[in-house]
Amino acid sequence: MTQKTKTLLERRYSMLGLLLIAPTVLVFCAVIVYPLVSAIYLSLFKIFTPTLEGTWVGLDNYRTLLAKGEFWTSLRTNLIWTVGTLTLQIIFGVGMALVLHQNIWFRSLARSLILFPYFISTVVAVLVWKWLFNDLYGILNHLMMSAGLIDWPLDYLGTMPNAMISVILVGAWKYFPFVVIAVLARLQTIPDHLYEAARIDGAGPIARFFDVTLPQLREVLVVIIMLRAIWDFKEFDLIFLLTGGGPVTSTQTLPLLVYKEAFALNQMGMASAYAVIMMLIMLVFMIIYIRRTRSEDS
Amino acid sequence: MLRKIAFNLFAWSIVLAVAFPLFWMLVTSVKPQFELFRRPPTMLPETFTLEHYWGLLTETKFLSYFWNSIILSTTTTVVVVAIATIGSYSLVRFRYRGRETLAFLVLFTYLLPSVVLILPLYLMLVNLGLSNTITSLVIAYTTFALPYALWLLRSFMAGIPEDLESAALVDGASRLGAFWDVILPQLLPGIISTALFTFILSWNEYLYALVLVNSDEARPLTTGVMNMLISSFNIEWSLLMAASVMMSVPLIIAFAFLQSYLTRGFGAGGVKG
């Protein structure tokens, strides 16, 4: 009898559980699952954006895009951007975290200042950097020239490779605070006796970093690198607003290509095909990350 | 001692270099137009003026964009956090089939690029006749805000000891009663930081606003301010910097008062994954 009431209670509980998750499931189906499926469906059509009239073309879009050079150059640009900015974010982020972990003056103020670029809008970041980069009145050219680094004002965004370097640098500036906070949180949990043991063994500061700190950070660094790789790979706002993909198409990554194809060239079907391919590429990273998180969970 | 001072100077020079663009934004916004083109540039404004702020509020559509952004971000935050709170409670504390799959789907969508969803969403919202409305943006923002909020709240929820709830149940509380009286107060810090993050995320969003809204009535700050840059004949940098400062004000307020909540949320969602 008790057994039976318990299962009844359990059944009522799982009913309640389903009821509580229902809004989430409904919204998910409406705004995520349905669009995702229709993105794949759209990619099989040729659609003119202003009229939204489409004709079935099957896999033709995919055949065209894989044969087109633009896809491959954009993929290459995308990888250069991702690897470049991610590397800087990690190096600078870990370095800054080590500095902020020390007992410096006004530490919490320093932390807030470092965090700020991450929280401001990309629009604000881009406006400010465009003003810094301004070729005639920008402070950056002025400082570099008075330091004797350059003789003539540089065009930071209008020529290559300057544009790519600038985009990568601004990306690193905007997103490295994420690495700082994550690493800082982990640094605070490394037990002191590990350092003392290393010191007794005669390890200097550099040896202590490589033998104690770095192995302890390994786990969190893997997670950060995967997350940031996914986010940097799909970054749209920053690049679009800074260069718009230019000069010509030198900084045009895949998200920008999707946008251009859909709203400038008015090829909605083709754009969907690009988006689907891009998602497939990202799926590799995503699955690795998700599997890792799940194994940690259990 | 000398080493300590040297290290401090080194640390602070990096911090100030990182913060310099933001300092420059502030300085530029209070300089009169003619002082901007001075060579060499003045590090601190010689003449202090608030004319750009005044001009921004009276001569441009900044205030209406600002208002749109407030409505948009607040609505998104309230809707998303409400759904995510009960959703995460269900995901963490109930047992039913498909629960694991759903948690997996949440994480998957949390990482999904928005350019994939934006094309079908655009078609869907045009067909529903919702294009150029704030409602369309609320719907679109749910696509990234809901997975994010669910993921954050899920880890906050997992941190609340299960015994608390069991004790309330033994005392005769119903499941929902226990949720209301025991779980919710415990979860409050988590809810606040999730709400803050969701608000910031919506406040800063650009791509959906660019694609879905093409009228000043519904345009939020991000695309509105960018429009001011593109449409003006000669770029008024101090006006744009004033706009940037004003746009960051809500974030600065959130930052100053709620820093502990922010770092907590950061630890829960960003790092633990």
Side-chain angles (χ1 to χ4, degrees), chain B residues 89-139:
Chain B
Y89 177 52
S90 168
L91 277 180
V92 175
R93 289 293 157 79
F94 288 87
R95 306 264 169 273
Y96 45 84
R97 277 179 57 195
R99 195 180 62 114
E100 285 290 308
T101 322
L102 207 63
F104 159 81
L105 191 70
V106 171
L107 184 54
F108 176 76
T109 47
Y110 174 47
L111 303 173
L112 205 66
S114 39
V115 282
V116 177
L117 296 179
I118 197 161
L119 307 173
L121 270 177
Y122 172 77
L123 291 181
M124 187 172 108
L125 292 167
V126 167
N127 285 335
L128 288 173
L130 286 174
S131 57
N132 286 329
T133 60
I134 292 183
T135 317
S136 75
L137 287 182
V138 173
I139 294 172

Side-chain angles (χ1 to χ4, degrees), chain B residues 2-256:
Chain B
L2 205 65
R3 242 182 96 178
K4 193 172 183 277
I5 292 174
F7 182 76
N8 266 294
L9 290 178
F10 164 75
W12 267 97
S13 55
I14 303 178
V15 172
L16 292 179
V18 169
F20 179 77
L22 304 165
F23 164 77
W24 199 239
M25 157 176 100
L26 208 58
V27 168
T28 307
S29 73
V30 293
K31 274 183 189 174
Q33 192 74 23
F34 63 85
E35 203 180 319
L36 289 190
F37 307 121
R38 186 86 56 81
R39 316 228 63 184
T42 47
M43 272 299 153
L44 288 170
E46 267 168 18
T47 329
F48 178 88
T49 171
L50 289 175
E51 63 183 19
H52 308 297
Y53 288 91
W54 181 245
L56 193 67
L57 296 181
T58 53
E59 284 156 32
T60 67
K61 293 203 175 110
F62 185 86
L63 264 184
S64 104
Y65 298 148
F66 196 89
W67 186 236
N68 287 341
S69 267
I70 294 271
I71 295 177
L72 169 60
S73 308
T74 313
T75 317
T76 310
T77 306
V78 170
V79 170
V80 160
V81 170
I83 297 176
T85 305
I86 55 171
S88 63
Y89 177 52
S90 168
L91 277 180
V92 175
R93 289 293 157 79
F94 288 87
R95 306 264 169 273
Y96 45 84
R97 277 179 57 195
R99 195 180 62 114
E100 285 290 308
T101 322
L102 207 63
F104 159 81
L105 191 70
V106 171
L107 184 54
F108 176 76
T109 47
Y110 174 47
L111 303 173
L112 205 66
S114 39
V115 282
V116 177
L117 296 179
I118 197 161
L119 307 173
L121 270 177
Y122 172 77
L123 291 181
M124 187 172 108
L125 292 167
V126 167
N127 285 335
L128 288 173
L130 286 174
S131 57
N132 286 329
T133 60
I134 292 183
T135 317
S136 75
L137 287 182
V138 173
I139 294 172
Y141 285 12
T142 315
T143 59
F144 60 83
L146 185 59
Y148 181 76
L150 264 170
W151 198 246
L152 267 181
L153 278 170
R154 188 173 165 265
S155 57
F156 281 120
M157 189 73 81
I160 300 174
E162 222 156 319
D163 300 351
L164 280 176
E165 198 184 351
S166 317
L169 290 178
V170 169
D171 286 349
S174 69
R175 203 74 199 257
L176 281 179
F179 172 70
W180 190 257
D181 293 331
V182 180
I183 302 273
L184 222 48
Q186 289 279 322
L187 195 64
L188 197 63
I191 293 178
I192 293 176
S193 57
T194 307
L196 270 176
F197 272 99
T198 312
F199 188 90
I200 293 175
L201 225 54
S202 321
W203 186 266
N204 290 345
E205 205 285 333
Y206 177 76
L207 176 59
Y208 284 117
L210 174 70
V211 170
L212 294 174
V213 166
N214 200 16
S215 81
D216 274 340
E217 276 74 58
R219 214 190 291 277
L221 268 180
T222 45
T223 46
V225 169
M226 256 357 252
N227 253 26
M228 283 161 55
L229 169 75
I230 297 159
S231 58
S232 57
F233 179 64
N234 53 349
I235 301 172
E236 286 185 66
W237 282 108
S238 32
L239 191 75
L240 285 171
M241 290 303 109
S244 300
V245 173
M246 298 277 281
M247 208 174 147
S248 310
V249 164
L251 304 184
I252 296 169
I253 295 173
F255 222 73

Side-chain angles (χ1 to χ4, degrees), chain A residues 13-14 17 21 31-32 35 52 104-105 112 116 119 121 128 131 134 136-137 142 173 181 227 234 236 241 289, chain B residues 8 12 18 21 28 39-40 90 94-95 102 109 112 120 123 143 175 204 207 237 251-252 255 259 266 270 273:
Chain A
Y13 276 171
S14 42
I21 200 71
V31 301
I32 296 169
L52 299 180
I104 65 165
W105 302 324
S112 305
F116 219 73
F119 285 104
S121 164
V128 172
W131 172 229
N134 190 292
L136 284 177
Y137 305 106
H142 171 76
W173 176 81
I181 291 301
L227 260 183
K234 66 175 185 178
F236 174 85
L241 291 171
Y289 178 75
Chain B
N8 266 294
W12 267 97
V18 169
T28 307
R39 316 228 63 184
S90 168
F94 288 87
R95 306 264 169 273
L102 207 63
T109 47
L112 205 66
L123 291 181
T143 59
R175 203 74 199 257
N204 290 345
L207 176 59
W237 282 108
L251 304 184
I252 296 169
F255 222 73
Q259 212 194 0
F266 214 91

